[in-house]
Amino acid sequence: MNQEEIIVDDYISDPQFINENDENPELYQLIIDSWNLESAIYAILIGHGITVPYLKILDEKALDDIFSVAKWTGHKHALRMKLCGWEESVLFRQTPHVEANQTNCVAIPGRPGTSKHKLLPTSVTYSLLDDILQRNEKGKIVTRYYETHKSLDSEHRKYLAHTIVDYYIANHIYFALPDMARFAQLISERFSPEISVIHKSNYLFNNL
């Protein structure tokens, strides 16, 4: 990063340089007053033209784009945690009532008939699974096959598992167990009733 980029980054994250015309009271109230996040987060969002309606549809890719500077990583994680607990966000997945022995767990908002099992925190979303399937040739093959046959044979199950693993390898991301469990759940719902809910937790292991 050259000196000019550093100056621009510092400028964007400094609240005192927000143009009066860019001020957004609704966003300020949510970020600063309600969520008690740092003013720099509000400034960065303003600098990228983010309003409350836009905030509701932010996904992981958008968060990475907005908080692309390494020194903003903490801001990104702080905002993500709030979005994960905000019912209006596409990232919402936190339970309204968490028992004492489940303080580190979150529940995934379900579609009709989804599992009630608690999962460890993960950033995996429906939109991420769809994006992976759409961008990968094997993912496209799996989708077309399922649309035609309403089921997956052993070969296409392996294609599906490898498509997701390939995504992690290509992006140099560690495939954590919570992510694997979440993908298994999403797959069981996306390709239902092909994959039994009872066996979904072992799906990615068994097809690699």
Side-chain angles (χ1 to χ4, degrees), residues 88-160:
E88 297 181 71
S89 170
V90 298
L91 295 182
F92 172 71
R93 63 179 185 274
Q94 191 165 8
T95 56
H97 301 289
V98 182
E99 297 179 7
N101 63 347
Q102 297 175 331
T103 53
N104 293 323
C105 295
V106 292
I108 311 301
R111 294 177 178 176
T114 59
S115 171
K116 301 297 183 181
H117 296 302
K118 299 293 188 297
L119 299 177
L120 292 173
T122 170
S123 60
V124 173
T125 62
Y126 286 106
S127 60
L128 177 59
L129 175 60
D130 288 339
D131 188 61
I132 291 173
L133 293 174
Q134 292 169 9
R135 292 174 179 270
N136 186 288
E137 288 305 315
K138 285 186 178 179
K140 294 177 183 178
I141 292 173
V142 170
T143 301
R144 288 195 296 267
Y145 186 92
Y146 180 78
E147 289 173 351
T148 301
H149 301 279
K150 304 304 178 185
S151 65
L152 298 177
D153 58 18
S154 59
E155 180 180 16
H156 287 84
R157 290 176 186 173
K158 290 182 179 180
Y159 280 177
L160 178 55

Side-chain angles (χ1 to χ4, degrees), residues 5 82 121:
E5 290 174 323
K82 295 297 182 180

Side-chain angles (χ1 to χ4, degrees), residues 3 9 14 18 20 32 40 45 57 59 61 89 91 100 116 128 132 138 148 152 162 169 175 181 189 202:
Q3 187 63 28
D9 295 338
D14 193 335
I18 296 178
E20 183 176 339
I32 306 298
L45 293 175
I57 60 175
D59 58 13
K61 176 62 167 62
S89 170
L91 295 182
K116 301 297 183 181
L128 177 59
I132 291 173
K138 285 186 178 179
T148 301
L152 298 177
H162 290 167
I169 294 175
F175 199 177
E189 296 165 5
N202 295 320

